[in-house]
Amino acid sequence: MAAASGSGEDLPSDDAPVADAPVADAPVDDVATGEIPTDLAPHPADAIYADGPSTSELDLAEVTAEGTDAAAPASAEAPASAAQASQAPASVAPGAGEGKGPDGETRTKEGQSRPDPESAAAPDEVIREPGDVGSDTTDDDGGEARRVGPGGETRPMGSTGRPTPKAALVYNPIKVDADALRATVTRLASEAGWSEPLFYETTVDDLGDDVTRQALDEGVNTVLVAGGDGTVRAVSEAMSGSGVPMAIVPSGTGNLLARNLKLPLTEPDAMVRAVFDGDTLAMDVGWTELARPDGTTAEHAFVVMGGIGLDAAMIANTSPQLKKTVGWVAYVDGAARALPSAKPFRVVYELPGHRLHSSRVQSVLFANCGKLPAGLDLIPEASVADGALDIVIFQPKGIFGWLFVWRRVAWDNSFLRRFRAGRRVLSLRTKDNAVVYSRGAGIELAAHEAQPVQLDGDEFGEALSVKTRVEPSALLVVVPRGHTTDGL
């Protein structure tokens, strides 16, 4: 989808227009109608409100989001015909048409010779079995196989067993106690019978993706990552689709992926030990293609969530020193700096398989996970393994609209939904469109003016348009043995 402009030109649409679209080539203006898009499938985050399930239905079952599995068609191979079957050669009966050759050997009627037992016993007239004959060696050689070079010289055989597993640690030296962490990984690797691990430090120019590719080229069996959310994102980007497991050693400020996976946040030794005796979870990876104002494009991965608009401006206004000192609380300061100048902006957006929409928004998020710091549930039904991304569109109108946003995230999602009585209350409440949820394989959107973008809490400059997609089960993540993966 091309980036939108302010020239007043018609907006693009699919080749096959949707039948219920009012105008084939024009997006539906959600602001003008004041309604939530009706052509999008209901998101589980909205299903619990007034137009969602009834109270009696809540008594029967919890509200769940279920995916669909596409069954692969089976194929059958046609059996080979009898004409294509090979036939065994006819055998010759022993003694049939046999005769003596000039040297006394027995010849068959086809002319093939068969050794004569008496001739084979010469010169000492003893017929030997294969086991009676010794190996063909010299005085200095044994009877074992040897490795030889091009000139026939003997070379060491080397180890004939399986290669010893090897791990690599990619860490941000600012976020971790490097000496202690390296010692822990080395000790536990030795106890598990693994080779000495490899260690890589991140830098300002290399957030972890380049050194991770170096580790993969070395043939490591697992990559451990220790750092903030940005380090985890960069390492995940390099490891996506590699088939090599990644182990997260919680450290840094947010640890959002570790929190969403419910990993032990205060026990780094437990996560290092899980590399050698734990389990793995296949999770999705999101990818975002950014179109810059200068015409260039770039694609980056994210494992938690990305966004365009106010949330990215909030991160851009957060003081790095304050973030290092007080952690995620620093984002409150960033929000206070960004909100006074926040203005809604016009976007056109489209989910795969749906029609084009237009709206004035404050922010659009595309998420693989749903939990934020401080126990906030932005998207309670989000899953890292459902093969889909959750889309959240914030379009509040005035101060009361922001109150609706805060109530939805901090009260409804993070508190009331945890209790049956709270869900009964939500089922009686009228749904507002200050926050619109959707779910799909991605989203493509364009803005009239360049807007800031963030991925997993890091700034990624400004973009006129973003196009996101999901790669299902692209990343293997190490979890402790017996770690519950229900609800992830």
Side-chain angles (χ1 to χ4, degrees):
M1 180 177 68
S5 65
S7 61
E9 296 179 359
D10 291 340
L11 295 169
S13 62
D14 292 337
D15 294 334
V18 180
D20 59 348
V23 181
D25 295 328
V28 177
D29 195 325
D30 303 323
V31 173
T33 62
E35 299 292 338
I36 295 174
T38 56
D39 70 310
L40 303 180
H43 189 276
D46 289 326
I48 200 169
Y49 282 85
D51 50 356
S54 63
T55 303
S56 60
E57 290 174 323
L58 287 170
D59 292 331
L60 297 177
E62 297 292 333
V63 177
T64 58
E66 297 181 347
T68 58
D69 295 330
S75 61
E77 297 182 357
S81 63
Q84 295 172 329
S86 60
Q87 298 180 356
S91 60
V92 180
E98 293 181 350
K100 293 290 185 178
D103 296 329
E105 74 275 13
T106 304
R107 290 188 178 274
T108 64
K109 66 178 181 179
E110 289 82 4
Q112 298 175 343
S113 61
R114 190 170 62 186
D116 180 68
E118 295 181 358
S119 300
D124 53 3
E125 299 182 353
V126 176
I127 300 178
R128 293 181 172 84
E129 298 293 334
D132 297 332
V133 182
S135 59
D136 183 13
T137 60
T138 62
D139 294 338
D140 298 329
D141 291 333
E144 298 179 355
R146 298 173 299 172
R147 179 185 174 191
V148 297
E153 70 277 11
T154 303
R155 292 186 175 182
M157 284 288 290
S159 175
T160 58
R162 297 181 59 186
T164 306
K166 180 168 53 180
L169 170 65
V170 178
Y171 63 94
N172 185 334
I174 300 177
K175 302 286 188 179
V176 302
D177 184 343
D179 293 338
L181 184 57
R182 285 197 303 262
T184 298
V185 175
T186 301
R187 173 176 56 84
L188 294 179
S190 177
E191 293 176 0
W194 286 40
S195 298
E196 185 175 351
L198 306 177
F199 301 108
Y200 301 89
E201 287 188 353
T202 65
T203 64
V204 176
D205 297 326
D206 181 6
L207 298 179
D209 48 342
D210 286 341
V211 291
T212 299
R213 294 185 184 95
Q214 294 178 29
L216 294 175
D217 290 340
E218 292 290 337
V220 297
N221 300 84
T222 304
V223 175
L224 296 93
V225 53
D229 294 324
T231 306
V232 174
R233 188 210 64 78
V235 173
S236 300
E237 178 176 307
M239 298 190 65
S240 177
S242 68
V244 177
M246 181 186 76
I248 304 171
V249 183
S251 50
T253 304
N255 293 300
L256 283 179
L257 182 57
R259 292 175 186 273
N260 280 271
L261 296 177
K262 302 179 182 178
L263 300 178
L265 300 178
T266 59
E267 304 175 25
D269 287 15
M271 286 307 304
V272 176
R273 195 179 301 277
V275 171
F276 312 109
D277 62 2
D279 302 320
T280 58
L281 169 70
M283 64 168 285
D284 306 332
V285 174
W287 289 86
T288 300
E289 181 181 310
L290 307 176
R292 306 293 188 184
D294 61 1
T296 61
T297 60
E299 187 175 48
H300 299 281
F302 64 93
V303 289
V304 180
M305 66 180 66
I308 181 171
L310 179 60
D311 65 303
M314 178 189 70
I315 291 173
N317 281 278
T318 300
S319 168
Q321 185 60 39
L322 187 62
K323 183 178 177 182
K324 182 179 180 181
T325 304
V326 300
W328 62 267
V329 181
Y331 291 125
V332 177
D333 176 71
R337 295 171 182 268
L339 277 173
S341 59
K343 295 180 180 179
F345 57 97
R346 172 75 63 175
V347 296
V348 289
Y349 66 92
E350 182 180 21
L351 275 72
H354 298 282
R355 62 188 179 183
L356 202 65
H357 291 271
S358 174
S359 182
R360 290 179 61 84
V361 303
Q362 286 283 3
S363 183
V364 178
L365 295 180
F366 27 91
N368 195 33
C369 303
K371 289 181 172 53
L372 300 176
L376 295 178
D377 268 351
L378 176 63
I379 314 169
E381 298 83 6
S383 170
V384 299
D386 61 355
L389 295 177
D390 290 270
I391 312 300
V392 187
I393 300 175
F394 294 95
Q395 48 187 23
K397 299 177 179 63
I399 186 65
F400 290 105
W402 281 114
L403 291 176
F404 286 137
V405 171
W406 179 251
R407 183 189 70 177
R408 186 75 179 269
V409 175
W411 181 249
D412 295 356
N413 292 348
S414 304
F415 182 74
L416 289 183
R417 283 175 178 268
R418 298 180 181 179
F419 309 99
R420 182 174 294 274
R423 291 193 293 274
R424 294 177 187 271
V425 172
L426 293 179
S427 67
L428 302 175
R429 180 181 295 171
T430 302
K431 183 168 51 180
D432 61 79
N433 67 340
V435 183
V436 177
Y437 289 91
S438 190
R439 176 177 292 170
I443 186 174
E444 187 175 357
L445 64 86
H448 283 207
E449 298 179 355
Q451 300 294 329
V453 176
Q454 65 86 13
L455 297 176
D456 288 354
D458 281 349
E459 298 177 65
F460 273 80
E462 292 186 337
L464 282 170
S465 67
V466 299
K467 183 178 181 180
T468 67
R469 60 184 176 87
V470 63
E471 285 191 5
S473 305
L475 182 65
L476 294 178
V477 180
V478 173
V479 296
R481 176 176 294 181
H483 184 72
T484 177
T485 57
D486 295 339
L488 299 182

